[in-house]
Amino acid sequence: MTNLSVNINKIATLRNARGENLPCVEQVAQDCEAFGAQGITVHPRPDERHIRYADVMALRPLVKTEFNIEGYPCDKFMDLVLKVRPEQVTLVPDAPDALTSSAGWDVAPNMELLTSLVERLRDAGIRSSIFVGTDIENIKLAAKTGADRVELYTKPYADLYPRDPEAAVAPFVEASRAVHKAGLGVNAGHDLNLENLEFFHKRVPFLNEVSIGHALICDALYLGLHETIKRYRDCLK
């Protein structure tokens, strides 16, 4: 079974545009769960341009499924996640001013850092996931950090899918097999949507979880949040 975790960053972006509390991030998170989401993802950034650190604190007692916090592991981020203790922390290599995640970790030069971070998370009882591409040797190194899972960066798949679905998914099939062989769980995310998700799910083995935000929230503007989550869940059956 592959779980759907809904990234609610874009809800916070819309709220912040007016400086009030509409839409309410906490209520949307609860609604997503009520409508069938099996997890809630947030990605707080240092400039708090969407999800704020205060949002993360407020969401912790409300999220009843899986709470996944992703972000670059600066001191402030690590202090936050160790205080909040979500079910999962996804470590991403974003620069502080990054518009969105654009690449996975190059593990070799960051091995010491990632290993120490994974150890801190494990000691706090938090599952760790490392954001990576499909390079097999890099995945093997990620496994050596002691991480519980990796999250495969799926933008290359989404970009190629309209032209050649089989070529687009092939590296992810091999990568997922390599992750599983190394003893880790497999997550995936970035630019997955209603057009490409079902094919990805059918082809990629051992897929534990997908995290989807931007496309899902865009679809909800037309379909409504309840119907949108249902359709994404249907893609994962």
Side-chain angles (χ1 to χ4, degrees):
M1 181 178 181
T2 302
N3 287 342
L4 171 67
S5 186
V6 177
N7 185 319
I8 58 172
N9 276 18
K10 286 300 183 294
I11 300 298
T13 302
L14 183 58
R15 176 202 61 189
N16 295 351
R18 287 291 292 268
E20 298 175 355
N21 195 36
L22 189 68
C24 175
V25 168
E26 295 99 307
Q27 185 60 56
V28 171
Q30 292 176 294
D31 289 342
C32 287
E33 290 185 315
F35 298 154
Q38 295 141 311
I40 298 295
T41 291
V42 294
H43 187 149
R45 286 185 164 88
D47 61 7
E48 297 192 323
R49 64 181 180 270
H50 35 64
I51 286 291
R52 298 167 181 158
Y53 278 51
D55 293 329
V56 179
M57 298 296 293
L59 286 165
R60 172 66 285 189
L62 301 178
V63 175
K64 304 304 181 185
T65 55
E66 178 196 272
F67 197 19
N68 172 47
I69 305 177
E70 59 184 31
Y72 181 79
C74 62
D75 290 342
K76 185 178 180 182
F77 177 86
M78 291 303 296
D79 288 345
L80 175 71
V81 298
L82 291 172
K83 182 181 294 183
V84 171
R85 297 199 178 199
E87 283 72 29
Q88 179 174 267
V89 167
T90 302
L91 304 171
V92 300
D94 287 352
D97 60 347
L99 181 63
T100 186
S101 302
S102 58
W105 286 95
D106 182 2
V107 177
N110 294 287
M111 177 65 83
E112 185 176 349
L113 170 65
L114 291 170
T115 301
S116 65
L117 293 169
V118 166
E119 183 176 355
R120 291 176 67 189
L121 294 171
R122 184 189 307 110
D123 289 346
I126 303 168
R127 185 172 73 229
S128 58
S129 179
I130 297 178
F131 197 58
V132 296
T134 56
D135 181 83
I136 303 301
E137 293 306 313
N138 196 52
I139 287 170
K140 290 178 180 178
L141 289 175
K144 291 182 179 179
T145 67
D148 301 294
R149 294 186 183 182
V150 300
E151 178 172 332
L152 298 175
Y153 172 58
T154 50
K155 180 172 173 54
Y157 163 76
D159 289 345
L160 183 56
Y161 175 83
R163 302 191 303 277
D164 192 339
E166 291 293 349
V169 81
F172 292 88
V173 173
E174 295 307 310
S176 187
R177 288 173 176 159
V179 174
H180 182 73
K181 185 176 180 180
L184 280 66
V186 185
N187 296 343
H190 207 94
D191 286 0
L192 295 173
N193 57 42
L194 287 175
E195 294 182 3
N196 61 39
L197 178 59
E198 184 175 6
F199 183 84
F200 186 85
H201 177 251
K202 285 181 176 179
R203 293 294 195 277
V204 178
F206 312 117
L207 191 59
N208 296 108
E209 175 185 298
V210 293
S211 175
I212 305 176
H214 183 79
L216 189 151
I217 300 304
C218 290
D219 289 330
L221 293 175
Y222 294 93
L223 302 172
L225 190 58
H226 194 172
E227 177 64 19
T228 298
I229 289 175
K230 177 183 180 299
R231 293 193 189 190
Y232 276 88
R233 285 288 307 274
D234 286 346
C235 290
L236 298 173
K237 287 183 178 178

